[in-house]
Amino acid sequence: MDKLWAHLIEVQPDPDPWVVAVSALAALALVGFRMPWQISRGLITIAHEGGHALMALVTRRKLEGIRLHSDTSGVTLTRGRPTGPGMVLTALAGYLAPSLLGLAAAWLTEQGRITLLIWGVLLFLVCMLLLIRNLYGALILLVTGGAVFALIMYAPAEAQQVVALVAVWFLLFGGIRPIIELQRKRRRRQARDSDADQLARLTFLPGGFYVFFFLLVSGASAVFGAYLMNPL
């Protein structure tokens, strides 16, 4: 256990500035272009539903399971009071989770804790797998977790660092785009049951306020995360 802990908290050297820049551009391409985004958006959904699930557990709501769908949507099933702070916080956590996870990952990367970050991601995926209640969701988590496990076991430290950098940037950038997409759908009245509209029904504030709040937190996380990731 001592050897394992020493391995987990091992500090890696800072990456070259060009590696950080190229990884940021790669993540920006994944988020900015339609085809790569359609393929990779499911990873943001995993973080989104994980945020709902974690907050449900923190607020002591009964967590019944998570479903991930092939159209990159998802749903977290909880049971408890239909109103109140627990329900509000659970609904609030989804759109904030990818950006806040990205910010936490950026801090670990800035500290050189790449190994700890990757093992933390693997643990997160395993916990999600235990909560999945549909076949497609289980398949996606098994494929993603298998890729992370292969990265840990077979990839050299330099490759792990590059993948971790791209993943951190992807969470920071990818946490913003779904919020913009949400507002576009709300303008066309295609998202009546979105998290923002559920929050509007639970509180006295309009759904647009929550979209703005999501965007504010995600934008601030991206800016501060980029500051932490800045090699200069």
Side-chain angles (χ1 to χ4, degrees), residues 101-120:
L101 286 173
L103 182 59
W107 179 78
L108 285 174
T109 302
E110 190 270 337
Q111 298 292 317
R113 313 287 185 179
I114 300 297
T115 303
L116 184 61
L117 171 60
I118 298 175
W119 276 98

Side-chain angles (χ1 to χ4, degrees), residues 1 27 29 37 96 98 133 144 179:
M1 291 299 296
W37 175 244
L96 301 181
R133 295 297 181 263
T144 307
I179 303 171

